[in-house]
Amino acid sequence: MKLSEILKTDNLSLSYEVFPPKTDSSFDSVQNAVFEIAKLKPSFMSVTYGAGGGTSKYTLDIAKNIKALHGVESLAHLTCVSSTKETVRAQIENIHNAGIENIMALRGDIPESMKNADRSRWDYNFAIDLVRDIKESGYDFCVGGACYPEIHPESFNRKTDIAYLKEKVDAGCDFLTTQMFFDNNILYNFLYKIREAGITVPVVPGIMPITNANQIKRAIQLSDSHIPQRFMALVDMFGSSPSAMLQCGIAYATDQIIDLYANGITNVHVYSMNNPFVALKIHNNLSEVVSNG
Ligand code: FAD
């Protein structure tokens, strides 16, 4: 089923992001963790592609198994910046042949080794080029794109970031998923701005439960996200106790999700980091909220 259909419903729901194993030997343990999350019957699960230095070899296997073995709709991520047209074309075909109907079309971060290269020679400069190729592939995919409530780190300013986002959506994105954020007001402000700019597709907010103090540094590095004082106070007070920080991180993410639901968002995407414990806790915290929403 296409995610554009799922995202049309008014039912409150959660979806989860997982990442594929980095080594062959960790395939089974990662797949088991992913399946534990799938048992929560989320609205869909996304599987990253080479994000944060990880590999892409198993993205498709994991995405295919989530759907085939657990009946949960999956979204296969695909990046393009360091790929050729031929490899991307082959991967699009593989995704179709695996029975997956949804692709998250991403540029990917520019590798250090390519930063000073002549970009005019690249097959792909931006995600919009991949969105176009997927739409022109002849397969009927539902296509997602990434968006950044606190603007993409490479962007000159918010106005140009939103203008390029509008072009990407117009090229064929059926929905958008946001980068993580820790202050919901930033998301509400972003939604107001993109709606004003004429972007009307569903936007799925991405929530990252920060469950240990080290994760904060990494989250800021990856996303440039603003960490509100309210959250920093929790880290200052409880960061040195892993069990207390775990509880605080889950509670903070739960609180963000409830506020999003209360403000009209119907599907929230949780960056579950292959952690079934965290996914289950958040799922349980919201059981009544979701069934009554
Ligand atoms: P783009 O949409 O191409 O935007 C990148 C930058 O270029 C932005 O600053 C944009 O404003 C600018 N831009 C766009 N078009 C133009 C233009 N025509 N001219 C000039 N500037 C332009 N990375 C992975 O490697 N694997 C993953 O699985 C993955 N999943 C992600 C999922 C989500 C929800 C998010 C938010 C990010 C994910 N990323 C992933 C990270 C992403 O690849 C990086 O943030 C990357 O730097 C940008 O990708 P993009 O698709 O947003 O790029």
Side-chain angles (χ1 to χ4, degrees), residues 39-243:
K39 284 182 194 161
L40 302 175
K41 294 291 170 207
S43 53
F44 68 91
M45 288 174 75
S46 66
V47 187
T48 64
Y49 188 87
T55 63
S56 315
K57 189 172 156 194
Y58 291 117
T59 296
L60 203 47
D61 290 328
I62 298 278
K64 187 166 93 178
N65 291 344
I66 288 169
K67 184 169 177 174
L69 304 178
H70 290 272
V72 172
E73 208 44 67
S74 57
L75 167 65
H77 288 205
L78 182 60
T79 62
C80 60
V81 71
S82 43
S83 301
T84 61
K85 289 272 178 185
E86 289 70 33
T87 53
V88 165
R89 170 77 211 176
Q91 191 61 11
I92 293 170
E93 211 164 301
N94 291 339
I95 295 173
H96 170 76
N97 292 340
I100 293 165
E101 295 174 73
N102 307 288
I103 303 184
M104 185 65 160
L106 299 145
R107 186 196 68 180
D109 285 325
I110 298 170
E112 252 340 284
S113 60
M114 288 173 67
K115 282 197 171 146
N116 296 319
D118 174 6
R119 295 189 182 198
S120 65
R121 303 167 77 99
W122 297 358
D123 279 3
Y124 294 94
N125 271 284
F126 301 107
I128 188 172
D129 307 325
L130 176 60
V131 173
R132 289 194 180 114
D133 281 0
I134 297 169
K135 285 291 170 184
E136 287 163 11
S137 67
Y139 302 120
D140 185 20
F141 285 110
C142 169
V143 177
C147 64
Y148 302 83
E150 295 175 74
I151 81 170
H152 185 268
E154 287 166 35
S155 286
F156 181 59
N157 59 31
R158 179 183 289 270
K159 205 171 160 194
T160 53
D161 201 44
I162 291 179
Y164 288 132
L165 182 64
K166 170 89 166 76
E167 280 180 18
K168 183 163 75 172
V169 171
D170 289 347
C173 287
D174 300 293
F175 69 95
L176 297 168
T177 304
T178 76
Q179 179 60 284
M180 66 183 88
F181 57 91
F182 301 95
D183 175 349
N184 287 2
N185 286 329
I186 290 173
L187 188 269
Y188 301 139
N189 186 270
F190 173 70
L191 286 178
Y192 178 80
K193 293 264 191 270
I194 64 168
R195 297 308 186 211
E196 202 178 39
I199 297 172
T200 57
V201 294
V203 176
V204 180
I207 294 294
M208 166 80 93
I210 298 282
T211 52
N212 67 65
N214 294 336
Q215 253 181 309
I216 293 200
K217 217 188 287 166
R218 179 146 171 78
I220 297 174
Q221 235 172 31
L222 273 177
S223 65
D224 263 354
S225 301
H226 162 68
I227 307 286
Q229 195 48 45
R230 190 173 143 250
F231 189 69
M232 279 318 294
L234 297 180
V235 180
D236 287 345
M237 189 70 181
F238 303 109
S240 57
S241 161
S243 55

Side-chain angles (χ1 to χ4, degrees), residues 14 16 40 250 254 258 276-291:
L14 287 175
Y16 295 99
L40 302 175
I250 290 168
T254 304
I258 291 173
F277 177 83
V278 170
L280 178 66
K281 285 284 181 192
I282 291 177
H283 172 89
N284 287 344
N285 284 349
L286 294 166
S287 56
E288 291 304 311
V289 170
V290 167
S291 65

Side-chain angles (χ1 to χ4, degrees), residues 8-50:
K8 259 187 207 161
T9 71
D10 288 335
N11 301 335
L12 301 185
S13 55
L14 287 175
S15 49
Y16 295 99
E17 180 170 292
V18 295
F19 52 82
K22 292 187 173 69
T23 58
D24 295 353
S25 60
S26 59
F27 183 87
D28 286 343
S29 67
V30 168
Q31 180 156 264
N32 288 341
V34 167
F35 284 178
E36 285 305 307
I37 298 173
K39 284 182 194 161
L40 302 175
K41 294 291 170 207
S43 53
F44 68 91
M45 288 174 75
S46 66
V47 187
T48 64
Y49 188 87

